[in-house]
């Protein structure tokens, strides 16, 4: 397992890479057709008929995820300095180095200050930043920085545990390998007790490898 612990970065969320252009599915289907031919396949044979169109449609859907949406916050003044952790979020993304899938298990924690965030928005935020060519380290930072903006302060921690097919099915082919990234900000970066609570509860949610 590889663990990376990152401090808050100064790069604004809007500046990071992401899908921008409208996808021409006809053009993509043509390229997939050409790829199949170059790999020695017959794109017209039974089984491959329609495959270029299906692949192109998938790329368009994957690279056009729903927006992160405006997070709904609810006033809650009597919180008593609670730690809120939202886990069990699993999203698929694509490694931009080999264009192979990676499955990312996401856990987010924050310390509310007069407001709590609607729980469904955490999953939407994770899906939004997963729907592109990605690296896990950047994804972790993007989710954390977006939550900073939503919550209005930096008392946010995000941990991501990834299974990368670029490591599982190519190269060293280690199927049990896992990569863990943690982005800690605000009180999570300076309060060892709070940080340890987050990490302990997070690893408990993930369970055994």
């Amino acid at each position: 397992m590889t663990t990376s612990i990152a401090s808050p970065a100064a790069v604004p969320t809007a500046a990071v890479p992401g899908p921008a252009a409208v996808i021409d599915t006809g053009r993509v289907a043509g390229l997939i057709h050409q790829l199949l031919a170059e790999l020695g396949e017959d794109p017209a044979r039974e089984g491959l008929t329609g495959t270029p169109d299906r692949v192109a449609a998938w790329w368009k859907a994957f690279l056009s995820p729903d927006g992160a949406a405006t997070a709904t916050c609810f006033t809650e003044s009597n919180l008593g300095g609670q730690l809120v952790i939202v886990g069990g979020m699993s999203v698929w993304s694509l490694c931009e180095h080999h264009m192979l899938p990676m499955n990312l298990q996401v856990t987010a924690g924050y310390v509310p200050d007069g407001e709590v965030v609607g729980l469904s928005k955490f999953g939407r935020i994770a899906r939004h930043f997963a729907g592109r060519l990605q690296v896990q380290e950047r994804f972790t930072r993007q989710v954390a920085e977006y939550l900073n903006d939503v919550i209005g302060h930096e008392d946010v921690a995000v941990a991501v545990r990834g299974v990368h097919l670029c490591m599982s099915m190519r190269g060293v082919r280690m199927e049990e390998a896992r990569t863990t990234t943690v982005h800690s900000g605000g009180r999570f970066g300076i309060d060892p007790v709070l940080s340890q609570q987050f990490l302990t509860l997070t690893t408990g949610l993930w369970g055994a490898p």
Side-chain angles (χ1 to χ4, degrees), residues 17 57 65 105 131 133 137 167:
Q105 296 182 54
L133 298 178
E137 296 85 348
M167 190 174 185

Side-chain angles (χ1 to χ4, degrees), residues 93-189:
S93 189
L94 283 176
C95 166
E96 66 182 37
H97 301 141
H98 301 98
M99 297 180 70
L100 288 173
M102 52 183 176
N103 181 249
L104 305 175
Q105 296 182 54
V106 184
T107 302
Y110 75 104
V111 179
D113 182 13
E115 288 184 329
V116 294
V117 181
L119 297 178
S120 66
K121 299 303 183 289
F122 288 88
R124 292 183 184 276
I125 293 167
R127 288 183 58 187
H128 174 73
F129 289 109
R132 62 189 67 182
L133 298 178
Q134 260 297 11
V135 295
Q136 182 176 327
E137 296 85 348
R138 184 194 305 135
F139 169 82
T140 306
R141 174 173 58 81
Q142 287 173 332
V143 172
E145 289 181 347
Y146 193 95
L147 286 172
N148 287 345
D149 292 339
V150 169
I151 295 168
H153 56 77
E154 295 185 348
D155 295 341
V156 171
V158 174
V160 179
R161 187 175 190 241
V163 178
H164 297 246
L165 266 63
C166 58
M167 190 174 185
S168 300
M169 67 179 293
R170 63 165 296 281
V172 294
R173 298 188 181 183
M174 293 184 176
E175 296 182 7
E176 299 302 319
R178 302 291 185 270
T179 299
T180 303
T181 47
V182 180
H183 185 111
S184 301
R187 289 175 55 188
F188 287 94

